[in-house]
Structures are given as C-alpha cells and as structure tokens.
Amino acid sequence: MTQTKLKVGCQTFTWEMLGKAWTGGPDDLLKAIADGGYAGIEITDTMIGRYAGRPSEFAAALKSSGLTLVSFAFGSKSGFTLKEEIGADLEAAQRWIDFASAFPGALVSMGSATVVSEGPRDDKFAIAAEVYNKAGELGRKASVQVAVHPSSHHNTLLFDRTDYDKIFALLDPELVGWVPDTGHMLRGHKDMADTLSTYRDRIRYIHLKDVDANGTWAMLGEGVCDTQAVIEIANTAARFNGWLVLEEESETAAADPAGAVKTNRQTMRGYGA
C-alpha cells in the first residue's frame, strides 16, 4: 500500500456554529487557523465574507497566512431536495465552482441533502442526486472536483448506512466524490469502518470529528472515533488527496474556538500528521 502524505486542514464551522456570538471576519479565521498550526482551510459560503467573488484577494490572504484552500463548502435552504429550487442550487454551485477554480486542487463540498418539505423520501433522494450529479458535471467542465458531505444534523436525508447506500447508488462516482465526516458517521452508523471501506473509492478527503458513546460532540481523541483506523482506510482510497480536515463542534470549542482547534492540531501530531 502506498501511503498518501497527510496534510491537516481546519474547517470554519467551529466559528460558524456560534452564530451571532461570532463577530469576527474571514481574516480572523485565517489568523486563528494559521496560528493553530494548520496547513489548509475549508471555508464556507457563510464565512467567506468580503472575499466572496474576489478569489484573487482571498488567494493573497491565504498566501500571507501560509494556508492552502482545501475546499469551499456550501449548502442551501432547499436542502438540495426541492425540485423548484434545482436551478437556483445549480447557479450557486456554478458560482462557487468558479471561485474554487482559482485555487489549484481545491474542491467544492456540497452539504447534506436535508428534508425541508413534505413528500416521499425517495423523491427527495432523486432530487438531491440530480442536483449533486449536475453540479459534478459543472465541476468537471471547470476542472474542479465536487463532493458531497453527509451529516447527522436535524432532518438530514443522509444519516445512516441505508441512506448512504441509497444516495451513492444514484450518484455518478466519476462526477461526485465523498467527504466522510467521522463524527456524523459515528452518530448514524453501527460500523463506520465498514461504510468507509465499502465506499473508499469515492473518498476525496476526510472530515475528522469526534463524539462520545452517546453521540455528543467531543474534542478529537476524547471520544470513540478510531482516528488511526480512519487514516489507514483513507490511505487505501485511490482518490484520497491526503487532506484531513478537522472540524470541532464540542462545548469546549464553543467556549474557545481558537484554543480548541489548536489543541486538535496537537492531537493530530500524535498520529504523525
């Protein structure tokens, strides 16, 4: 097995989850993440702030901070499950694909399909798959990889193994990759390792997050996530690009986001990353 060189990035949701309690901007995020010892960042449409539509300025800010853009993540109020919003969702996908195309190797990560209306679940899977696949085609034309990030948050359509099997059966693996999130998976999968192994060829990069035995968010290494096993599986994935993106949602992070992500970065050094 050829081992991929591991690189460690940080997701900005640690600050985004604070809502109005967070009064900083994207430059504050870059500083905190760089100071925390990270090499890369995954930023969202909510947190990009004044750099939206200004990729060259964001590239300069990243360079100044010594950071690489791993991925640009976005979601939609439609949950990617409303037929009447497909056009708008694809317009958003095109906008962020165009933005990411200015950063070599950066991906676009699309949030979890979510139930926001009444109706059969099968119909919602079909709509989400249509959006993801069409966004993947837009990405291919721009040489930007597109991936889906399932979650375990309220009303997610992509919670347990059955849901993963259903959505992956509908997605073109050449167009749409997968960003496994260990924390979200542990809340809905009895055997996370089996899911990761089964769909390893779809893995593009990894979100590392931890939970305790009850599914409550925990600092990395303080919960039940077998991080070493996750890394070993990722290293058998043909399209894994080596990025481990740490995302922290615990109460510790809510109290001190910068301190929490710095601690997690130190934890990762124990895994040789």
Side-chain angles (χ1 to χ4, degrees):
M1 179 181 72
T2 301
Q3 184 157 327
T4 305
K5 178 176 172 56
L6 299 176
K7 301 162 286 186
V8 184
C10 184
Q11 224 280 353
T12 59
F13 190 75
T14 301
W15 291 266
E16 185 174 338
M17 71 178 184
L18 302 178
K20 293 181 179 179
W22 167 249
T23 57
D27 292 311
D28 299 303
L29 298 175
L30 297 182
K31 185 178 188 309
I33 290 170
D35 288 350
Y38 291 85
I41 180 174
E42 178 178 286
I43 198 164
T44 69
D45 54 340
T46 303
M47 304 301 277
I48 193 64
R50 68 185 181 86
Y51 291 116
R54 299 177 176 177
S56 61
E57 292 182 25
F58 190 53
L62 286 174
K63 184 176 181 179
S64 177
S65 301
L67 295 172
T68 296
L69 181 63
V70 180
S71 181
F72 189 97
F74 80 100
S76 171
K77 291 182 179 179
S78 75
F80 301 121
T81 59
L82 295 180
K83 192 170 186 63
E84 64 270 22
E85 295 297 327
I86 291 175
D89 286 339
L90 291 175
E91 286 179 8
Q94 184 69 71
R95 180 165 64 253
W96 298 124
I97 287 167
D98 288 344
F99 183 91
S101 69
F103 303 87
L107 288 88
V108 166
S109 171
M110 298 179 68
S112 189
T114 305
V115 177
V116 298
S117 64
E118 299 295 328
R121 281 174 59 85
D122 284 351
D123 290 352
K124 299 183 189 307
F125 275 98
I127 294 167
E130 180 179 350
V131 175
Y132 291 143
N133 282 326
K134 286 183 174 179
E137 181 60 40
L138 295 175
R140 179 160 65 178
K141 290 177 180 177
S143 298
V144 173
Q145 292 189 66
V146 171
V148 61
H149 174 264
S151 86
S152 61
H153 287 312
H154 183 63
N155 281 344
T156 180
L157 194 67
L158 309 177
F159 179 69
D160 60 19
R161 176 59 181 269
T162 299
D163 296 334
Y164 279 47
D165 290 343
K166 185 171 291 189
I167 194 66
F168 284 144
L170 297 171
L171 296 181
D172 184 337
E174 296 304 314
L175 295 177
V176 184
W178 175 33
V179 184
D181 184 302
T182 57
H184 288 303
M185 291 183 71
L186 286 165
R187 284 155 54 115
H189 298 242
K190 293 181 179 179
D191 189 346
M192 177 182 69
D194 182 68
T195 305
L196 286 168
S197 296
T198 299
Y199 294 111
R200 76 183 76 203
D201 289 346
R202 298 178 187 251
I203 295 172
R204 299 298 185 266
Y205 63 101
I206 303 279
H207 267 200
L208 275 176
K209 190 155 67 251
D210 216 337
V211 296
D212 66 18
N214 296 316
T216 301
W217 305 119
M219 289 285 289
L220 192 66
E222 295 182 5
V224 297
C225 182
D226 187 343
T227 299
Q228 188 60 54
V230 172
I231 292 172
E232 289 173 3
I233 293 170
N235 273 320
T236 68
R239 298 185 180 181
F240 173 55
N241 66 8
W243 279 106
L244 303 170
V245 175
L246 311 191
E247 183 181 18
E248 185 56 58
E249 298 186 44
S250 67
E251 291 184 1
T252 301
D256 180 10
V261 300
K262 189 171 186 177
T263 296
N264 278 352
R265 182 66 190 92
Q266 184 60 40
T267 297
M268 283 309 301
R269 292 190 176 95
Y271 296 101

